[in-house]
Amino acid sequence: MTIAPSGAVLVLGGARSGKSAFAERLVAKTGLVRHYVATGRAWDDEMRDRIARHRADRGEGWTTHEEPLALVERLEALDDPRNVVLVDCLTLWVTNLMLEERPMAEAFSRLAAHIGTARAKIVLVSNEVGLGIVPENRMARAFRDHAGRLHQMAAAAASDVYFVAAGLPLRMKG
């Protein structure tokens, strides 16, 4: 369980599957300067609590960057071979882009292009939402579809892809 010498790692899984903890373990093994890019927004008390728990679970040794929209720009700013960047999570980024009515295909293409050329090590965490029933409303279906397209692009650009279920990682690529 290591990060490839070049390329990025995509870690997919369901809610509370252990994907973030697995990604953090991957990052810790690199010995590089650790950066955490948080895409979530604290819209309410429950989300503020989640963010605080994540931060406490990570512990010391991380520089945290809150970046709900300009993810590629943040990754470009951190693109140094001495860095490892953990992005948690892509599905929250998709939510933010949707709420701001940003062009999804363009954002996804820019991220995939950066993943393919980055000098920093990158670990991307995302919720796999396409394994359940078809959502009942248009926005939820659009979200599921956007996430699926993004995951396909990120997986194609990444050197390694893992799926985590019940805390157990399954290597899918690499």
Side-chain angles (χ1 to χ4, degrees):
M1 224 174 38
T2 60
I3 297 177
S6 61
V9 177
L10 175 62
V11 179
L12 297 168
R16 293 287 176 244
S17 63
K19 63 191 174 297
S20 293
F22 172 71
E24 290 168 15
R25 288 193 304 273
L26 283 177
V27 166
K29 292 180 178 187
T30 67
L32 299 171
V33 179
R34 294 180 285 173
H35 293 269
Y36 185 95
V37 177
T39 60
R41 290 176 163 169
W43 296 107
D44 56 31
D45 289 340
E46 187 269 338
M47 192 60 172
R48 276 187 277 284
D49 290 344
R50 280 179 180 266
I51 291 169
R53 269 195 313 277
H54 263 273
R55 192 169 274 166
D57 289 348
R58 274 195 310 277
E60 300 296 318
W62 293 86
T63 300
T64 299
H65 310 269
E66 294 183 6
E67 195 58 68
L69 293 167
L71 177 58
V72 176
E73 290 83 353
R74 178 65 68 179
L75 291 173
E76 289 170 347
L78 296 170
D79 195 24
D80 182 308
R82 296 169 293 186
N83 291 338
V84 58
V85 183
L86 173 57
V87 177
D88 201 350
C89 81
L90 292 181
T91 44
L92 287 173
W93 181 57
V94 169
T95 299
N96 296 333
L97 293 173
M98 287 180 72
L99 291 173
E100 298 285 334
E101 299 181 2
R102 300 287 176 97
M104 307 302 270
E106 177 186 327
F108 298 172
S109 293
R110 288 188 63 225
L111 178 62
H114 181 76
I115 291 169
T117 62
R119 295 175 306 135
K121 304 289 183 244
I122 300 173
V123 179
L124 304 155
V125 175
S126 198
N127 291 292
E128 178 51 66
V129 297
L131 298 174
I133 61 173
V134 175
E136 69 176 24
N137 66 70
R138 181 179 177 182
M139 184 173 186
R141 287 189 299 276
F143 171 78
R144 179 210 49 200
D145 294 348
H146 287 312
R149 282 189 285 277
L150 175 58
H151 292 162
Q152 289 181 57
M153 294 173 78
S159 60
D160 295 86
V161 178
Y162 291 90
F163 185 82
V164 180
L168 303 171
L170 171 66
R171 187 177 221 148
M172 300 176 72
K173 179 182 176 182

